[in-house]
Amino acid sequence: MESYLNENFDVKAKHSSEEVLEKWRNLCGVVKNPKRRFRFTANLSKRYEAAAMRRTNQEKLRIAVLVSKAAFQFISGVAPSDYTVPEEVKAAGFEICADELGSIVESHDVKKLKFHGGVDGLAGKLKASTTDGLSTEADKLSQRQELFGINKFAESELRSFWVFVWEALQDMTLMILGVCAFVSLIVGIATEGWPKGSHDGLGIVASILLVVFVTATSDYRQSLQFRDLDKEKKKITVQVTRNGFRQKMSIYDLLPGDIVHLAIGDQVPADGLFLSGFSVVIDESSLTGESEPVMVNAQNPFLLSGTKVQDGSCKMLITTVGMRTQWGKLMATLTEGGDDETPLQVKLNGVATIIGKIGLFFAIVTFAVLVQGMFMRKLSTGTHWIWSGDEALELLEYFAIAVTIVVVAVPEGLPLAVTLSLAFAMKKMMNDKALVRHLAACETMGSATTICSDKTGTLTTNHMTVVKSCICMSVQDVANKGSSLQSELPESAVKMLIQSIFNNTGGEVVVNKHGKTELLGTPTETAILELGLSLGGKFQEERKSYKVIKVEPFNSTKKRMGVVIELPEGGSLRAHTKGASEIVLAACDKVVNSSGEVVPLDEESIKYLNVTINEFANEALRTLCLAYMDIEGGFSPDEAIPASGFTCIGIVGIKDPVRPGVKESVELCRRAGITVRMVTGDNINTAKAIARECGILTDDGIAIEGPVFREKSQEELLELIPKIQVMARSSPMDKHTLVKQLRTTFDEVVAVTGDGTNDAPALHEADIGLAMGIAGTEVAKESADVIILDDNFSTIVTVAKWGRSVYINIQKFVQFQLTVNVVALIVNFSSACLTGSAPLTAVQLLWVNMIMDTLGALALATEPPNNELMKRLPVGRRGNFITNAMWRNILGQAVYQFIVIWILQAKGKSMFGLEGS
């Protein structure tokens, strides 16, 4: 059976082709209730419809973009069209309506934008400030909401309990039994009168209704669970300025006029216009189908909902929200296709099909044998032409038994047990800080053999502080000195360091609505900003003193970031850079010495700084180098920031402690047969120190740097990869290559963590992509299968435990259900063949079916995990779900129960203690 299932009912955990999904559906036979059986599978016809609609929308938008580009050349000679503000909009105090706003951005209408006074003019007409955002007065916000709409998309209505009752009644075998019950009532009452003649018919009706209501209740509860989980998946927050204060806010609370801050990896939450920013590159492929990224700036300010920020950062003015956006219209069509079915769902559909065909064969043979026995009795007594009401009822009972055998034999509950178990696991995992985005990830994680984990924030706490520094060639213990560090450094060096820290940063120092200073940005940025504040720097004053000419945000390939500023005295230009210590140091040819003077960087100084970097790294500190250069000969914002010729200001060592419990979790993984590998962009010595502290790097393991790894040949990789435990200074493509090699060459089931935009290819390639909920970008989360809400490695181990629990629970239920299937078939068939009667009536068989399909699933498919699960080796990619040992248990149980029933039958008692059969 396993080979047949692998050949015909085998799908991938993700990215299965439409042909594969169509194939197994066509092979499914003997389906009692298609609506229920295929409820949690992808609706392929809806997907085809959605894809066609999406192509149409993309073409419309693509043409609009091309037209807008052409319009730039002729804009000056075109007269603007007239626009009349609707009265209700005027009465509310606004000067533009939602439809006009929507047409400007969606159509990239440069003419209309110019007519309304550009971005600043639109902000004024929306009664919004481009610096302070919207007022938070409740009545004004609600008025704005009524006129311009809310940022929510149309969702399918929650189906009522009675819809599930109706779907449960669609079971073909139950319908046939219902007809049998009706005929039995008519014949019984006609021959035996009321109420004696109604007992059998009413018994079948009552059993059918009980089965229907128990099934509907179970399905309805499942639907509520999935709806709750869908709500959790959609919780996305962005940085917004309202009332002059920057704050986190749900994207569903955004309104036209809001000022939103976007950075690399963010998804644009609504249609809007670019206000200010640098190097903004947008991926619009989800909307236009164009793979070429789009530069967004003051000349091309249009930002569309659902697109992704590929590079840069900016502020945007929200203009259109919700279903008025192109993304909102697309979402309404795309959600109808549903998620792909999981491998276990498909495999158990295959099992149900095989058992169903066997059951149908036995049901036909059983009916034939029972009818033949009845005819033989009548022939022997010569009454084959004379039929009484009792004999008609007996014949009807035989038919009902045959139909009920099909009811019991077709294990319709098998695929649903998978869904029930996965839904239960998903709900519990949510409480354990893991949000499952795709059902298949639950069961796949139970088979994981390798976890490739990030270091920062996953193995460590992500609470960073600068504890050591080497400024002006002097190593200082910052943690103990604090603000006194300022007095020990030359004034010119302190001034340059503060200028570098506050201008070359992706973070901000703001005053919140409670009047307290708050640091915004990544943990690395906030740690350095904190150092700047301790040196007496004032963030806002520093930023206002210099004009920013160009910004190059941190890039995980270059592993550094940079900024070019215009100095107030004389208008000369200066570039600052910050990043991986050895990379930035290699770009320096000068250094600030202990007197604050700039001197050439000689061999001795380079050696001293490299030794300092390694000393910091060996203490498990994250090291960053800060440098600057004065630009001579002019600079254009279109040019790249110079890559060399910098002056080294200094090196900082940032402490990021290992999370409590990580070492124990790594050891638990090792005992469970799961290899943990660290893949990080940090210095190799820092990575090795942390890996040893976590128990990842062992004596027989290898730590390698990304640049070395990517130069290896395929033959060298075959020998190297099994030994790799740490990869440092890795690029996103190094991670992707490692994952692909582990999956394809070594047949491992790989789970990978990621948080950045560039991690998306590795998350997509892995069997299970795990995105970080706190540090992760929206692009990473969208590519992931599971979101780790607390960014904690121990939570990943919990996910693996739940994955194994799902696998074991479903195996138990399959064994339980198939045992009952086989027993019911053998008992009824053998009894019919040997005695001419059936030991189980239709009503009794319906009770068995209800217990088996619904109550059994609830009991066996929802058992929580225990620590014993992590003492077993993972089943891996090739693990058999239905093992030979399971079949032996099933047949052994079937034979044992058959013998017991046969003995009771021989003593004149049925299985349920009733006289006769």
Side-chain angles (χ1 to χ4, degrees):
M1 179 185 278
E2 191 69 30
S3 59
Y4 173 79
L5 292 174
N6 286 334
E7 185 179 343
N8 297 291
F9 291 89
D10 191 27
V11 300
K12 296 177 183 176
K14 52 200 237 186
H15 317 313
S16 289
S17 66
E18 303 291 336
E19 291 76 19
V20 170
L21 298 179
E22 195 74 64
K23 178 184 175 184
W24 77 261
R25 284 165 172 75
N26 295 333
L27 289 170
C28 280
V30 199
V31 179
K32 297 186 295 182
N33 189 344
K35 281 195 172 183
R36 185 166 185 255
R37 176 92 160 258
F38 302 119
R39 180 182 295 134
F40 295 104
T41 56
N43 188 332
L44 297 184
S45 62
K46 286 288 184 185
R47 281 192 181 182
Y48 297 142
E49 288 175 27
M53 195 175 294
R54 187 175 188 174
R55 283 193 296 272
T56 304
N57 288 339
Q58 286 173 342
E59 187 60 23
K60 285 179 184 174
L61 197 59
R62 193 175 66 83
I63 291 169
V65 172
L66 292 173
V67 169
S68 75
K69 287 177 181 175
F72 277 117
Q73 301 172 33
F74 306 104
I75 190 69
S76 57
V78 178
S81 58
D82 293 330
Y83 168 69
T84 305
V85 183
E87 287 303 320
E88 66 271 17
V89 175
K90 274 185 184 177
F94 300 107
E95 298 172 49
I96 190 167
C97 68
D99 291 337
E100 182 75 357
L101 280 168
S103 67
I104 291 171
V105 178
E106 187 176 311
S107 303
H108 288 48
D109 199 323
V110 185
K111 183 176 74 172
K112 279 187 181 179
L113 180 60
K114 189 174 182 181
F115 169 65
H116 287 291
V119 180
D120 289 330
L122 278 180
K125 291 184 177 185
L126 279 168
K127 303 304 175 195
S129 165
T130 56
T131 53
D132 295 341
L134 296 179
S135 165
T136 53
E137 292 178 35
D139 55 339
K140 289 185 178 179
L141 292 177
S142 60
Q143 187 182 51
R144 192 178 292 267
Q145 211 172 71
E146 286 172 20
L147 280 172
F148 299 103
I150 57 174
N151 199 31
K152 290 184 179 176
F153 308 128
E155 294 182 355
S156 56
E157 290 182 11
L158 179 64
R159 297 196 297 175
S160 72
F161 171 73
W162 298 107
V163 173
F164 290 95
V165 171
W166 174 249
E167 287 190 358
L169 282 167
Q170 304 304 302
D171 190 315
M172 184 58 68
T173 51
L174 291 183
M175 290 181 188
I176 295 170
L177 284 176
V179 173
C180 291
F182 178 73
V183 175
S184 177
L185 272 172
I186 300 297
V187 175
I189 292 171
T191 56
E192 298 182 40
W194 178 270
K196 187 178 179 183
S198 65
H199 289 169
D200 288 344
L202 289 177
I204 295 174
V205 170
S207 299
I208 290 171
L209 289 175
L210 189 61
V211 167
V212 165
F213 275 94
V214 170
T215 300
T217 301
S218 172
D219 292 350
Y220 180 63
R221 288 177 62 193
Q222 270 187 54
S223 74
L224 292 178
Q225 280 189 332
F226 279 116
R227 198 168 185 87
D228 290 343
L229 289 166
D230 280 339
K231 285 180 183 175
E232 291 294 334
K233 289 179 196 176
K234 293 172 183 174
K235 284 185 178 176
I236 302 172
T237 58
V238 288
Q239 290 279 345
V240 179
T241 296
R242 274 194 184 177
N243 255 13
F245 298 110
R246 190 160 159 179
Q247 55 199 280
K248 272 191 175 182
M249 187 181 292
S250 167
I251 62 168
Y252 304 112
D253 294 330
L254 292 177
L255 293 169
D258 266 321
I259 307 301
V260 174
H261 303 258
L262 296 175
I264 296 178
D266 285 344
Q267 179 172 301
V268 180
D271 285 1
L273 296 163
F274 173 91
L275 279 172
S276 62
F278 297 93
S279 312
V280 180
V281 179
I282 299 291
D283 175 9
E284 292 186 348
S285 59
S286 57
L287 274 177
T288 64
E290 295 288 338
S291 57
E292 192 67 28
V294 176
M295 288 290 295
V296 173
N297 46 39
Q299 288 71 44
N300 177 35
F302 305 104
L303 288 158
L304 296 170
S305 177
T307 57
K308 314 291 190 306
V309 182
Q310 197 167 303
D311 202 358
S313 60
C314 72
K315 285 200 303 182
M316 73 174 285
L317 172 73
I318 300 294
T319 58
T320 317
V321 294
M323 292 304 293
R324 293 181 184 273
T325 67
Q326 195 69 25
W327 183 248
K329 294 164 191 170
L330 272 176
M331 287 297 287
T333 61
L334 295 176
T335 52
E336 293 181 19
D339 288 333
D340 283 355
E341 46 272 20
T342 74
L344 276 184
Q345 279 178 318
V346 174
K347 195 158 277 191
L348 291 180
N349 265 293
V351 173
T353 298
I354 295 167
I355 302 296
K357 288 176 179 176
I358 295 169
L360 183 61
F361 169 77
F362 274 89
I364 293 168
V365 173
T366 301
F367 180 67
V369 170
L370 289 171
V371 172
Q372 183 257 353
M374 184 180 183
F375 268 96
M376 291 302 292
R377 287 200 312 273
K378 290 184 71 64
L379 280 172
S380 64
T381 57
T383 58
H384 53 284
W385 296 114
I386 304 166
W387 289 81
S388 65
D390 286 343
E391 287 168 333
L393 281 174
E394 187 179 349
L395 191 63
L396 188 66
E397 174 69 13
Y398 290 160
F399 180 71
I401 287 170
V403 173
T404 313
I405 285 174
V406 176
V407 174
V408 177
V410 178
E412 205 90 307
L414 280 183
L416 291 169
V418 178
T419 311
L420 183 68
S421 190
L422 291 174
F424 174 76
M426 286 170 73
K427 190 77 175 174
K428 294 294 183 182
M429 285 161 70
M430 188 71 209
N431 297 333
D432 290 337
K433 303 297 181 185
L435 172 60
V436 179
R437 294 186 71 251
H438 301 131
L439 268 179
C442 281
E443 62 188 55
T444 311
M445 196 64 193
S447 307
T449 57
T450 292
I451 298 174
C452 294
S453 174
D454 282 338
K455 175 184 74 67
T456 306
T458 307
L459 297 169
T460 60
T461 61
N462 219 15
H463 295 147
M464 301 192 191
T465 48
V466 177
V467 294
K468 282 198 170 184
S469 69
C470 179
I471 312 293
C472 301
M473 301 294 286
S474 172
V475 175
Q476 304 278 354
D477 192 338
V478 179
N480 294 331
K481 292 193 174 180
S483 57
S484 66
L485 177 66
Q486 180 185 359
S487 60
E488 298 183 15
L489 296 172
E491 186 179 341
S492 60
V494 172
K495 185 179 178 183
M496 185 65 73
L497 182 58
I498 289 173
Q499 186 185 94
S500 178
I501 288 173
F502 288 155
N503 286 286
N504 185 26
T505 179
E508 271 191 83
V509 181
V510 299
V511 177
N512 63 24
K513 56 187 176 183
H514 304 295
K516 292 183 178 179
T517 300
E518 189 175 341
L519 304 181
L520 302 175
T522 65
T524 306
E525 291 286 11
T526 55
I528 296 175
L529 287 173
E530 203 166 2
L531 174 65
L533 293 173
S534 72
L535 291 169
K538 290 180 171 55
F539 181 84
Q540 297 300 340
E541 288 181 16
E542 194 71 26
R543 293 297 287 260
K544 287 174 183 175
S545 301
Y546 307 98
K547 181 183 176 184
V548 177
I549 305 299
K550 184 180 178 70
V551 172
E552 286 184 359
F554 181 80
N555 184 297
S556 56
T557 303
K558 295 186 294 183
K559 300 204 180 298
R560 67 183 191 182
M561 64 186 294
V563 64
V564 175
I565 58 174
E566 184 180 293
L567 303 178
E569 55 276 1
S572 57
L573 301 178
R574 179 172 290 161
H576 286 279
T577 189
K578 172 180 75 186
S581 296
E582 61 270 31
I583 292 172
V584 174
L585 184 60
C588 296
D589 55 15
K590 296 179 281 296
V591 66
V592 178
N593 67 12
S594 57
S595 304
E597 300 168 346
V598 175
V599 297
L601 192 60
D602 55 24
E603 287 296 322
E604 188 179 340
S605 298
I606 292 172
K607 185 178 179 182
Y608 173 77
L609 290 171
N610 277 320
V611 168
T612 302
I613 291 168
N614 288 331
E615 284 176 356
F616 285 6
N618 288 330
E619 293 176 37
L621 301 182
R622 190 176 199 186
T623 65
L624 291 178
C625 182
L626 292 84
Y628 79 96
M629 71 178 294
D630 290 321
I631 299 176
E632 297 173 358
F635 177 81
S636 167
D638 296 329
E639 296 176 37
I641 295 175
S644 59
F646 284 89
T647 300
C648 176
I649 304 170
I651 293 157
V652 294
I654 302 172
K655 181 70 175 174
D656 185 13
V658 171
R659 284 184 182 273
V662 164
K663 188 170 185 178
E664 292 77 9
S665 295
V666 170
E667 181 55 34
L668 186 64
C669 285
R670 186 169 283 118
R671 289 202 303 269
I674 302 171
T675 303
V676 180
R677 293 176 167 89
M678 179 198 286
V679 183
T680 179
D682 251 346
N683 177 289
I684 190 165
N685 291 322
T686 306
K688 283 161 72 174
I690 295 286
R692 286 197 184 96
E693 194 175 339
C694 295
I696 292 173
L697 185 59
T698 59
D699 294 339
D700 55 349
I702 291 175
I704 191 170
E705 288 187 309
V708 177
F709 173 79
R710 69 184 77 120
E711 294 300 320
K712 299 291 183 183
S713 65
Q714 182 62 33
E715 291 73 23
E716 289 173 312
L717 288 177
L718 286 173
E719 185 180 344
L720 184 68
I721 286 175
K723 299 174 185 176
I724 292 177
Q725 292 176 340
V726 175
M727 187 187 290
R729 289 288 181 239
S730 66
S731 70
M733 284 314 298
D734 294 332
K735 184 188 279 192
H736 181 269
T737 303
L738 177 64
V739 171
K740 192 170 184 179
Q741 288 282 350
L742 285 167
R743 288 187 70 246
T744 56
T745 308
F746 297 93
D747 210 25
E748 301 264 9
V749 178
V750 185
V752 171
T753 69
D755 53 17
T757 306
N758 292 326
D759 285 328
L763 291 169
H764 189 269
E765 175 68 31
D767 294 286
I768 312 101
L770 304 159
M772 300 297 106
I774 299 170
T777 62
E778 286 307 316
V779 171
K781 291 174 188 177
E782 198 173 275
S783 301
D785 305 294
V786 180
I787 298 173
I788 306 300
L789 298 175
D790 61 355
D791 291 14
N792 194 337
F793 182 80
S794 299
T795 304
I796 299 171
V797 179
T798 302
V799 174
K801 196 186 293 184
W802 271 108
R804 292 190 177 195
S805 174
V806 166
Y807 207 85
I808 298 299
N809 284 346
I810 296 169
Q811 272 193 326
K812 287 178 184 176
F813 177 67
V814 169
Q815 183 166 333
F816 164 73
Q817 180 152 35
L818 293 185
T819 300
V820 178
N821 287 141
V822 173
V823 170
L825 286 176
I826 292 175
V827 168
N828 278 276
F829 177 70
S830 60
S831 181
C833 291
L834 298 174
T835 67
S837 63
L840 299 175
T841 65
V843 173
Q844 291 165 347
L845 282 170
L846 280 173
W847 273 90
V848 170
N849 181 68
M850 184 188 70
I851 293 166
M852 176 180 65
D853 252 15
T854 309
L855 303 181
L858 285 168
L860 294 174
T862 56
E863 188 179 330
N866 55 61
N867 289 328
E868 292 299 312
L869 291 172
M870 296 303 282
K871 294 179 181 177
R872 308 179 183 186
L873 292 176
V875 294
R877 196 178 299 282
R878 304 295 175 199
N880 288 339
F881 181 72
I882 303 178
T883 62
N884 291 331
M886 187 187 291
W887 279 117
R888 284 195 296 272
N889 286 337
I890 290 168
L891 293 174
Q893 283 289 322
V895 171
Y896 168 75
Q897 290 184 29
F898 169 69
I899 292 169
V900 170
I901 292 168
W902 191 256
I903 291 170
L904 291 172
Q905 182 73 18
K907 292 180 178 179
K909 294 182 178 180
S910 75
M911 181 180 177
F912 297 94
L914 302 171
E915 291 298 325
S917 61

